[in-house]
Each structure stands twice: as C-alpha cells, then as structure tokens.
Amino acid sequence: MAEDTGATRPPTDPDDAPAEYVRAHREELVSLALDLLAVDTSNPPGDTREIVAAIERFLDPLPVEVERFAVDPAKPNLLVRVDGASDRTLLYNGHLDTVPFDADAWTRDPLGERADGRVYGRGATDMKGAVASLLFALRAVVATDAEPPVDLLFAFVSDEEVGGDAGLPALLDARALDANACVIGEPTCEEGRRSVTVADRGSIWLTLEAAGEAAHGSRPMLGVNAVDRLYGAVETIRERFGAERLEIDAEMEPIVEESVEYYAPSMGEATARDLFRYPSINLGVLEGGDAVNAVPGSARAEVDVRLTAGVHTPDVLAAIRDCVADCEGITVADVSWSVGTTEDPASPLVDAVASTAAAVTGDRVFRRSATGGGDAKKLRNAGISTVEFALGTDTLHAPDEYVPVDALVDNAVVYAQLPAAWRSRVD
C-alpha cells in the first residue's frame, strides 16, 4: 500500500473536476477522517447518534437531500440523495459502527491519530476511512457543479459489525433503497494487491446438542461422555463433507481462479485453492461439563460451514442433517443458512469499479470472492447488483489499525469517477 507522499497527481482525465477537487483538498479529507474516528462507535453498544450528527453537519452546506432513518433511536442511519441526469441510481453504502478496542493494546490513539503518512484509529480501514472518502467524493461532485450522470444515493448505516437489524436490513425492509447498483466501501485490498469483491460464500451455522449419561470422573466407563459424542459428531461432519470437493458452477470458475491467485501470496496457493474448492468447517463453540471429576451428561457446539457461491446450500444442509442423524445422541438444535451470491465479473458495475480503480492506482485489480459474506449478500438478494471496494490495509479489527492517506485520496477519486464509468457501460 502506497504511503502519503504529499504529492498531488494529475487526474487520469484532465476534465474530471471532482477528482481534481479531491486531490487538491486532501488535507480536508484527512481532517474529516480524523473527525469520524474521534467518535467511539464500538458495537456493542453501537451507538451512532454522535457520528450521524457529525456527518449531518458536514453535509449541511451542500445542496443535497438528507434523511435520518432509525428503527432504534441509538442506531440511526443516514440517507443522502443527489439528482443526476438519468433515471438510474448508483448506491454507495458504508457502515458507521466498529468492533470494540482495547486501548492498552494500541501504540497509537484508537480514536484517531495521523503519523508517517497514515491515519490510525479503530475503523480507519474498516470502514470510517472509506466513509470519509465517500463523503468527500460527494462534496467534490457538488462543489464542482458537476451534475452526476446518474442519480446518487448514499446510505450510511449502523449495526453492521454485529449483524444487527437496525442498519441495512431496516432500510431494505422499508424499501428505502431504490437503486440499480451498489458499491460498498468495505476494505478489499491487502499489501501490494488490489481487488473488488464480486462474490461471497454461503454459510450454514449449526447448533448441535449431545445427550450422554452423567457419572463420576473416577468411573467414566459407567457413563456416556456427551462431549466425546459431540466432538465425534463434528469430526464425522468434517470427514464426510470437509474432504468432498464442491461442484462449482461454470460461471464461478473464473472468479475462483482469480480468488486463488489473489489469496495465494498471503496463505499459500494450496490453502487458497482448498478454501474455495472444499467446504470450510469450523468448530467455533464447544460447551459441556461442570467439573473435571464428572462425566458430562450434556454438551453443546456451534459449527460454521462455508460454501463457495454457486453451491446450493440447502442440499448440503440436508446431507449434514442426515449425517447428524447417524450420530447417536446428537440433535440439531438450531440452524441458520445462506446461499452465496455473485456478480458477473464482466458486468457493467464490476468492470466500471475494477477499471476505474486500476486507472487510479496503476495496479491490477483482482475480481475475486470474499471469504465470508455481509451486507453485499443482503443487497444482491434484494435485487441490487453489488460489489465491495476500498483501498485499505489488512489491519482491520487489529490494534493500531490504519489506512494510508494516499488510500483515502485514491478511494475518493475512484468513488467520484464511478458514476460516469458505470453510466458509460450500461448505455
């Protein structure tokens, strides 16, 4: 990731006034990012009232339509609209909450600090830095009297980090997001590699319960250890499904191959290939037993299964249920699941984002799958073509999280150029 050089590079298009505006006002962009980082929006509790008020003050001088939408008064969302020259709408989405932080584990101020060409703070890369870039791209458009070629809608949402219902789900339920395409400012880049995420993975979250027979720890043969039963069931699931190669749809093959190429430098090619060619199965929670000298009579486990987009999750879930039924004393107490979603890597939205980012950064931009799934999945399932893109770092959720100043600037330039790039590809 490039560091801040303080230089103002010429825009890719000399006539692109919004991009030129962003580069000429980079210090104001940095100040905005620091202002957002100064507000603690750790979730839980996820109170975003103060940061929403700060964004409203930033937007107040601009000729834009601003609406606060809240189903939880402590977790408001903010919608911003700008009329453009067509009846198509491009949505930009960013979340305002962050994961919590332990200030004692940081060497920088978790509520914002600039040093060595970087902006530090909880949310610097995930994703208050991108939110600042989105806001600044918006200001650049209106400050240069540039009528967007499409209508623009910005959704700054709460409650994303815990998967809560007060943020994007509330807006979707209220049908408040009428858009044709969406770009989410989630970080999609690692050191030296840029990408736009065009797919996510399906998931199965299982809660398994085991029944055994309690006994004294000195006579375990007189009981049935529920923890042993439960762990054995998880191992059976791993052996039966974890080693079974997934059937990947033909349209997913190029995304899988590009994803493997993207992740190989950080995890090794074999591991990256297995990540998408086979299910991943993680035992996240295992509970059982009350004392070291007792045979547990009951136990509980939570298991996370992930599947590459294109795999039909219900079929895998049905097979896992059959597998569990073969394990004595084991029941499925609860389950939630989702199907992976994807965008065509050659679609107008994907091509607009990848090509614009490549032109701005001068680097290759991979079109890859995410390893998990979040708001992009919700938006695609609502019928809105969606990708994720933001230059950032792999320090999200870590102490001393940071984003280079150059990344803030380049993000804002990409976001400011996207409406024209997307419009040119859909006409």
Side-chain angles (χ1 to χ4, degrees):
M1 181 64 64
E3 299 295 344
D4 180 20
T5 62
T8 301
R9 294 178 293 176
T12 303
D13 180 352
D15 297 323
D16 192 342
E20 185 176 0
Y21 180 94
V22 169
R23 290 182 172 124
H25 295 81
R26 61 188 288 131
E27 291 304 314
E28 295 172 51
L29 171 54
V30 173
S31 295
L32 174 59
L34 289 169
D35 287 345
L36 300 182
L37 290 167
V39 183
D40 186 357
T41 56
S42 299
N43 198 3
D47 190 324
T48 53
R49 287 172 290 187
E50 185 180 348
I51 196 170
V52 165
I55 294 173
E56 288 172 331
R57 290 191 296 271
F58 174 83
L59 294 171
D60 187 60
L62 306 182
V64 297
E65 180 184 345
V66 181
E67 176 189 0
R68 186 184 285 214
F69 181 98
V71 294
D72 180 340
K75 299 179 178 182
N77 309 290
L78 204 62
L79 297 174
V80 187
R81 296 179 175 85
V82 182
D83 290 336
S86 84
D87 58 358
R88 294 187 180 90
T89 299
L90 178 61
L91 168 66
Y92 294 92
N93 170 256
H95 65 83
L96 304 175
D97 59 324
T98 70
V99 295
F101 59 87
D102 177 6
D104 292 338
W106 287 59
T107 64
R108 303 289 184 177
D109 187 346
L111 294 180
E113 178 181 342
R114 181 179 182 175
D116 302 324
R118 300 173 173 179
V119 172
Y120 291 87
R122 172 55 78 228
T125 200
D126 182 25
M127 58 173 290
K128 290 180 180 179
V131 168
S133 296
L134 287 170
L135 287 165
F136 215 77
L138 169 59
R139 192 174 97 172
V141 169
V142 299
T144 54
D145 295 321
E147 182 184 34
V150 296
D151 291 345
L152 303 181
L153 175 61
F154 294 77
F156 301 107
V157 304
S158 300
D159 221 17
E160 190 271 349
E161 290 290 2
V162 297
D165 294 331
L168 184 68
L171 293 171
L172 290 172
D173 288 345
R175 301 184 183 276
L177 300 178
D178 185 9
N180 304 98
C182 176
V183 177
I184 302 177
E186 287 284 2
T188 58
C189 303
E190 297 182 5
E191 189 70 31
R193 296 189 304 288
R194 326 291 194 186
S195 75
V196 53
T197 60
V198 303
D200 52 54
R201 296 168 80 201
S203 63
I204 301 173
W205 287 359
L206 292 164
T207 300
L208 303 179
E209 292 183 351
E213 295 181 19
H216 196 278
S218 65
R219 296 170 290 178
M221 68 289 297
L222 300 182
V224 177
N225 191 307
V227 171
D228 287 346
R229 271 187 170 177
L230 191 56
Y231 193 81
V234 172
E235 286 297 286
T236 298
I237 292 172
R238 283 178 172 150
E239 291 168 3
R240 190 173 298 186
F241 297 102
E244 185 173 337
R245 188 179 174 92
L246 296 170
E247 295 184 8
I248 306 296
D249 291 344
E251 55 266 30
M252 272 299 297
E253 282 292 343
I255 299 175
V256 167
E257 287 305 308
E258 197 143 343
S259 301
V260 171
E261 188 177 355
Y262 174 82
Y263 286 109
S266 60
M267 63 178 66
E269 182 177 348
T271 299
R273 194 168 297 281
D274 286 349
L275 184 65
F276 292 99
R277 294 293 179 184
Y278 296 89
S280 61
I281 301 173
N282 180 61
L283 173 59
V285 174
L286 180 62
E287 299 174 343
D290 298 315
V292 68
N293 61 341
V295 175
S298 63
R300 172 182 170 274
E302 295 181 21
V303 181
D304 181 349
V305 181
R306 301 294 175 115
L307 307 164
T308 301
V311 176
H312 192 50
T313 307
D315 291 345
V316 178
L317 176 57
I320 289 177
R321 285 187 180 278
D322 289 342
C323 175
V324 171
D326 293 338
C327 300
E328 187 176 359
I330 307 298
T331 58
V332 178
D334 191 26
V335 63
S336 62
W337 57 272
S338 68
V339 177
T341 63
T342 185
E343 300 289 338
D344 181 351
S347 72
L349 177 65
V350 174
D351 190 58
V353 176
S355 298
T356 303
V360 170
T361 64
D363 295 325
R364 175 185 177 181
V365 176
F366 291 84
R367 306 178 189 202
R368 64 164 174 100
S369 174
T371 59
D375 281 349
K377 187 191 299 286
K378 299 181 181 73
L379 287 159
R380 291 190 192 114
N381 286 333
I384 301 173
S385 180
T386 302
V387 299
E388 296 174 324
F389 172 78
L391 303 169
T393 65
D394 55 4
T395 59
L396 65 163
H397 298 190
D400 291 341
E401 178 182 354
Y402 75 91
V403 61
V405 171
D406 279 349
L408 292 175
V409 175
D410 285 350
N411 280 335
V413 170
V414 171
Y415 298 148
Q417 292 179 334
L418 274 179
W422 178 59
R423 171 68 185 270
S424 70
R425 288 163 171 79
V426 295
D427 282 346

